[in-house]
Amino acid sequence: MSTPVNITDYTKIPTQAGVSPMTSDQTDESFWSSNPISSFFIDTYRNVHQHRESLSLSNPGSVEDLNKEVARDVFLNQYAFTGLRADLNKAFSLNPAFQTSHTFSIGSTNLPSYAFSALFANDDLFVQGNVDADFSLSGRLNYGWNKHNISKVNLQIAHGQPTMCQLEQDIKGSDFSINFKTLNPTFQLLNASEIFTGVAVGSLLQNVTPNLALGLEVLYSRSQSGTPADSGVSYLTRYVSTNKNWIFSGQLQANGAAIASFWRKVSPNVEAGIETTLQAGMIPITDPVVGTPVGIQPTIEGSTTVGAKYEYRQSVYRGTIDSNGKIACFLEKKILPTLSILFSGEIDHFKQESKLGCGLQFETAGNQELLMMQQGLDADGNPLQAPPQ
């Protein structure tokens, strides 16, 4: 009596010479390729993928770093301070990196009188925490699952202010970057349905040519479950010259603001940047006799900031001037391998206001090897030789 053959198991089907049975993978591929609808999308994807590979596109960077050369490197947004300040930084190891920092401040409106921070980082993990004299806590954690996926968590607990929690996911492809983030996400039950409250942002930046990147950012926010949600779309662009000595970036935000930035590498030691912002809005029209509002009219407000950065062997100077009559500068001068002096100044001619800040920055090492490296010496006390360019 012959053994019955299981028709679902293709390996048990008797074969003829020169003929092999079809496997399940081949059957599925034949189905999708023979289907006119699916085959159209498959062929389109393959053609687009081959075209993208032929362009040799690179990753355009994240939306957060769209104009970092101007906003972070040249301008004083992250450097200016007021009052007297002293920073004591101590590095305990380089791999993995672990260091602590103590910051003392007097007469500053935005810096606490004392703050302590610690940092730990290796190839996959980055952790940083801060606590100040008012017991305000802030922390940041970045974990790289691989070179294409990075998860981020930001947490802030301040006295007298609401707690802030931000979750973020970065996805970096060969020629695109995707970012998802949410701020204080909660789900509340309303009319037997889950309602999202908080802020959610999704962004995409795609290189369309080796020099030009286009992108968009979608924002959705709802403060309370009983209030209507707000949403908007912003459009982004970034152009990098072939020799990478100048970069242009532009943003058309959902609130009607347009931002254009231009960065230029003037010389090996000098960088310059300019940023222009235009904001559309509405202002009320009042009756000159009665003084009551009778209507509204559209208006456009704008400002332009020009800045430069001079970087030398032992000092870095940054200066900016804007169309609102504000002039600002920041100087960092290294007088010893482990000691730097900081100077920050700002004058607002229209408001007749001025701000001044002076600081010291100490760099110490937790062992003799790190101390020698900070002083530019090797383990034998000889000067470190710069690698050939």
Side-chain angles (χ1 to χ4, degrees):
M1 185 174 180
S2 60
T3 304
V5 178
N6 185 3
I7 61 175
T8 61
D9 190 354
Y10 298 105
T11 61
K12 301 296 182 64
I13 299 178
T15 61
Q16 299 180 1
V19 179
S20 59
M22 295 181 62
T23 63
S24 59
D25 293 340
Q26 292 173 337
T27 304
D28 294 340
E29 183 178 355
S30 176
F31 169 77
W32 292 111
S33 60
S34 61
N35 188 295
I37 298 178
S38 60
S39 62
F40 170 78
F41 289 102
I42 292 175
D43 294 340
T44 302
Y45 172 78
R46 289 176 178 174
N47 293 334
V48 172
H49 182 68
Q50 292 176 358
H51 179 68
R52 287 167 54 188
E53 289 184 341
S54 65
L55 294 176
S56 301
L57 302 178
S58 60
N59 185 275
S62 62
V63 172
E64 184 180 3
D65 298 332
L66 187 70
N67 61 341
K68 67 174 183 178
E69 291 82 5
V70 176
R72 299 184 184 180
D73 296 342
V74 176
F75 289 178
L76 280 63
N77 302 339
Q78 298 183 351
Y79 302 95
F81 66 96
T82 58
L84 300 179
R85 172 180 173 181
D87 298 329
L88 177 60
N89 304 323
K90 186 173 184 179
F92 293 89
S93 64
L94 294 179
N95 191 17
F98 177 67
Q99 69 179 39
T100 60
S101 176
H102 303 267
T103 301
F104 303 88
S105 176
I106 299 176
S108 176
T109 57
N110 52 4
L111 292 177
S113 59
Y114 171 75
F116 171 79
S117 63
L119 180 148
F120 175 85
N122 57 20
D123 295 337
D124 301 324
L125 180 66
F126 175 86
V127 182
Q128 184 181 21
N130 303 274
V131 59
D132 59 24
D134 298 328
F135 297 102
S136 298
L137 303 175
S138 62
R140 185 168 58 142
L141 186 147
N142 298 352
Y143 184 78
W145 304 95
N146 50 51
K147 63 179 182 179
H148 301 293
N149 292 275
I150 301 176
S151 299
K152 303 178 181 179
V153 178
N154 290 347
L155 181 64
Q156 193 172 51
I157 303 175
H159 180 70
Q161 298 181 5
T163 302
M164 188 276 290
C165 179
Q166 178 176 297
L167 308 178
E168 189 172 351
Q169 180 67 35
D170 276 339
I171 303 175
K172 296 184 178 181
S174 59
D175 57 358
F176 68 91
S177 294
I178 298 177
N179 176 269
F180 298 100
K181 69 178 65 173
T182 178
L183 178 64
N184 292 342
T186 57
F187 291 90
Q188 301 180 7
L189 185 62
L190 180 64
N191 298 329
S193 61
E194 291 286 347
I195 300 298
F196 170 82
T197 59
V199 179
V201 181
S203 61
L204 168 66
L205 192 61
Q206 170 73 56
N207 256 347
V208 294
T209 71
N211 305 102
L212 178 63
L214 301 177
L216 57 85
E217 185 176 65
V218 180
L219 182 143
Y220 175 90
S221 66
R222 186 195 295 268
S223 58
Q224 298 178 0
S225 58
T227 60
D230 294 329
S231 61
V233 180
S234 301
Y235 301 94
L236 317 167
T237 183
R238 176 180 169 92
Y239 186 88
V240 182
S241 64
T242 304
N243 52 9
K244 297 183 179 181
N245 63 352
W246 64 268
I247 299 174
F248 170 82
S249 62
Q251 305 178 48
L252 181 58
Q253 299 180 353
N255 59 0
I259 303 175
S261 301
F262 182 80
W263 174 86
R264 172 79 178 183
K265 187 76 171 181
V266 181
S267 69
N269 297 330
V270 181
E271 302 175 15
I274 181 173
E275 182 177 272
T276 299
T277 302
L278 297 176
Q279 176 66 61
M282 308 292 289
I283 60 175
I285 303 176
T286 58
D287 190 310
V289 179
V290 183
T292 58
V294 295
I296 58 175
Q297 67 177 8
T299 181
I300 297 179
E301 298 180 354
S303 64
T304 300
T305 304
V306 180
K309 173 187 174 182
Y310 298 83
E311 184 173 4
Y312 302 103
R313 187 170 62 90
Q314 294 184 339
S315 62
V316 178
Y317 171 80
R318 293 176 173 89
T320 60
I321 180 173
D322 62 19
S323 58
N324 296 322
K326 184 184 298 183
I327 300 176
C329 67
F330 180 84
L331 172 65
E332 179 180 355
K333 172 70 174 179
K334 187 178 290 294
I335 57 178
L336 291 175
T338 59
L339 177 61
S340 301
I341 59 173
L342 309 176
F343 175 82
S344 177
E346 178 182 302
I347 300 177
D348 193 328
H349 290 85
F350 291 172
K351 296 182 179 180
Q352 299 296 320
E353 296 178 352
S354 62
K355 299 178 181 179
L356 183 65
C358 297
L360 295 175
Q361 192 172 71
F362 300 90
E363 300 284 346
T364 61
N367 55 50
Q368 184 65 22
E369 181 182 357
L370 292 176
L371 181 61
M372 299 286 284
M373 293 183 63
Q374 287 183 353
Q375 295 177 352
L377 304 175
D378 58 16
D380 300 327
N382 299 318
L384 292 173
Q385 299 294 330
Q389 299 295 330

